[in-house]
Each structure stands twice: as structure tokens, then as C-alpha cells.
């Protein structure tokens, strides 16, 4: 109970060296590959899920946008597995770090915006000034639209960080309360434990949903610029 509430968000170190690189690379080892002609059930399920998500997410894109399919599918797999592994006891979740989420959001957003300015320069510039804007409001609207454009990657990163961090904090607090109540009231402790189980199930869903939302928003930014 004396443990720091935010101790689980501190980057783990061994001999003064951060382990973030190893933790980030670890999820890629969890996806099986097969060189056989007939795949097993796990690989077949993995391929079916990827095809389902890719059809839903990339169906709205043209040919240029669909070239991002591999990158976006890799992104959703990476974020989803990282979020799920962070729910294991005594584990570290890299997606609770705003710096890492910004490191994913800014290059993808910048790539989508640069693609838009290269392929649809007039349409991209037209977003800064809606049609029919009164002349006195033009400078203000241009400033507002510019700010809204540059805040998109920040919103992506903050949304993911806040949702994952909030869930971990709730699990930590309710788990600590359950341990404290065991010596006071067994009935109340059981009720709290049931709440903890339900919250953990909810966090599994949130981990997958946030991966999907992050990738979907990147896909929508790409769709607006291709």
C-alpha cells in the first residue's frame, strides 16, 4: 500500500539502461508465422481478423491510400498487443508514455498531410478557408484551422495515453482497496473484488478499442489527404 501510485508508469531499468526497446520489440514475437501450405487455427484466426479490419478500415481509400495498408495493420497490431501485455501483473505499458505516443502520431500525421499537399494541393489549402467565409473573418478562420490541423497528432497521442493510464490507475486503486478491506469486511472486499474483475474485463476491451480508434483516425486523416 505504500507503493507509489505512479510506480508502474516508470520506465524499467537494468544496470542503468532502459528496457523500453526490448519491451517495444517483444510483441512482434507473439505473432506466429507459418511456412506450411495449410495453416493452423491460430494463424487462420489471425489472418481472418486482419482481413476483416483491413476491409473495414481501408475500403474507403483510393489506390494511393491503400498503399498504407501494411503500415496501418502493423500499427493496430503493435498498439493492441502492447496495451494487452500492459495488463499483466508487474508489467510495463509503453503506450502510457506520452512521448512514445507522440512518436507514433506525429510521423503518421505528417506523412498524411505531406501526401495531401503533394497530391491535392488546392484541396488541402481549401481546408484552411471554408467556402463562403465573410472577408473580416478570413484571418481568424485561417488561424483556427491551422491550429486545429497541428493539434491532431497531439489529440491522437493524448487520447491513447489518457485512456490507458486511467484504466491502469483504476485497477491499481481498486486492487489496493480490496486488499485493505479484506481485514475489515470480507463481504465488502468480495464486492470490490468483483468490481475489479469487471474493470479488468473492461480494460481488455479498452485496450483493443483504443488501438482501433488510433489507427482509424490515422486512416481518416489519410483519407482526407488522398
Amino acid at each position: 500500500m505504500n507503493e507509489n501510485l505512479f510506480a508502474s508508469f516508470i520506465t524499467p531499468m537494468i544496470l542503468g539502461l532502459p528496457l523500453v526497446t526490448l519491451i517495444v520489440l517483444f510483441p512482434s514475437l507473439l505473432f506466429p508465422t507459418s511456412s506450411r501450405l495449410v495453416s493452423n487455427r491460430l494463424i487462420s484466426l489471425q489472418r481472418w481478423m486482419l482481413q476483416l479490419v483491413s476491409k473495414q478500415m481501408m475500403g474507403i481509400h483510393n489506390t494511393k491510400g491503400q498503399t498504407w495498408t501494411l503500415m496501418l495493420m502493423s500499427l493496430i497490431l503493435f498498439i493492441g498487443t502492447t496495451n494487452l501485455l500492459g495488463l499483466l501483473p508487474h508489467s510495463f505499458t509503453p503506450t502510457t508514455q506520452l512521448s512514445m505516443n507522440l512518436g507514433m502520431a506525429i510521423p503518421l500525421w505528417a506523412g498524411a498531410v505531406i501526401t495531401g499537399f503533394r497530391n491535392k494541393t488546392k484541396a488541402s489549402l481549401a481546408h484552411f478557408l471554408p467556402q463562403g467565409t465573410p472577408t473580416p473573418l478570413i484571418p481568424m478562420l485561417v488561424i483556427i484551422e491551422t491550429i486545429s490541423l497541428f493539434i491532431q497528432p497531439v489529440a491522437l497521442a493524448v487520447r491513447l495515453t489518457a485512456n490507458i493510464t486511467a484504466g491502469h490507475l483504476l485497477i491499481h486503486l481498486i486492487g489496493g482497496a480490496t486488499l485493505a478491506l479484506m481485514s475489515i469486511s470480507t463481504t465488502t472486499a468480495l464486492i470490490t473484488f468483483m468490481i475489479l474483475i469487471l474493470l479488468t474485463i473492461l480494460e481488455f476491451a479498452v485496450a483493443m478499442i483504443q488501438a482501433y480508434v488510433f489507427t482509424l483516425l490515422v486512416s481518416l486523416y489519410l483519407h482526407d489527404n488522398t
Side-chain angles (χ1 to χ4, degrees):
M1 292 298 294
N2 295 325
E3 184 183 0
N4 183 7
L5 186 63
F6 295 94
S8 59
F9 304 114
I10 299 175
T11 304
M13 311 275 287
I14 289 183
L15 300 176
L17 299 175
L19 297 178
V20 174
T21 304
L22 295 177
I23 295 172
V24 167
L25 293 177
F26 180 70
S28 62
L29 303 176
L30 300 179
F31 294 101
T33 56
S34 176
S35 58
R36 298 179 180 178
L37 183 61
V38 180
S39 303
N40 57 28
R41 290 188 179 91
L42 182 59
I43 296 179
S44 298
L45 178 63
Q46 175 183 312
R47 290 176 178 173
W48 175 78
M49 292 182 64
L50 284 175
Q51 289 176 359
L52 180 64
V53 174
S54 61
K55 285 181 181 179
Q56 291 181 348
M57 193 173 297
M58 307 305 296
I60 60 175
H61 290 276
N62 55 20
T63 305
K64 291 182 180 179
Q66 289 178 357
T67 57
W68 286 51
T69 302
L70 181 60
M71 183 186 298
L72 294 181
M73 291 303 101
S74 302
L75 179 67
I76 192 173
L77 285 175
F78 170 74
I79 298 176
T81 51
T82 304
N83 292 344
L84 290 175
L85 288 174
L87 294 174
L88 297 175
H90 305 288
S91 60
F92 173 73
T93 313
T95 47
T96 58
Q97 307 296 312
L98 182 60
S99 58
M100 175 176 171
N101 295 335
L102 284 172
M104 292 189 295
I106 291 178
L108 292 169
W109 165 84
V113 172
I114 292 172
T115 301
F117 277 104
R118 288 184 60 187
N119 298 328
K120 301 193 311 181
T121 305
K122 292 183 179 180
S124 299
L125 292 175
H127 287 296
F128 292 96
L129 187 63
Q131 189 175 5
T133 304
T135 304
L137 296 179
I138 288 179
M140 183 175 294
L141 279 179
V142 170
I143 294 173
I144 292 174
E145 291 297 328
T146 304
I147 293 174
S148 67
L149 176 66
F150 282 96
I151 210 170
Q152 287 177 353
V154 180
L156 267 179
V158 170
R159 181 186 295 107
L160 180 59
T161 304
N163 281 282
I164 302 302
T165 303
H168 283 57
L169 287 176
L170 278 175
I171 291 176
H172 184 89
L173 290 172
I174 296 177
T178 304
L179 290 175
L181 289 171
M182 286 180 64
S183 58
I184 301 174
S185 174
T186 306
T187 304
T188 308
L190 287 175
I191 295 174
T192 311
F193 182 69
M194 292 300 298
I195 296 174
L196 179 62
I197 292 176
L198 294 175
L199 180 62
T200 305
I201 296 173
L202 177 64
E203 279 303 306
F204 274 96
V206 169
M208 299 304 298
I209 291 172
Q210 288 304 315
Y212 180 78
V213 169
F214 189 98
T215 311
L216 179 63
L217 289 175
V218 174
S219 175
L220 292 177
Y221 296 156
L222 178 65
H223 178 258
D224 292 338
N225 289 280
T226 54

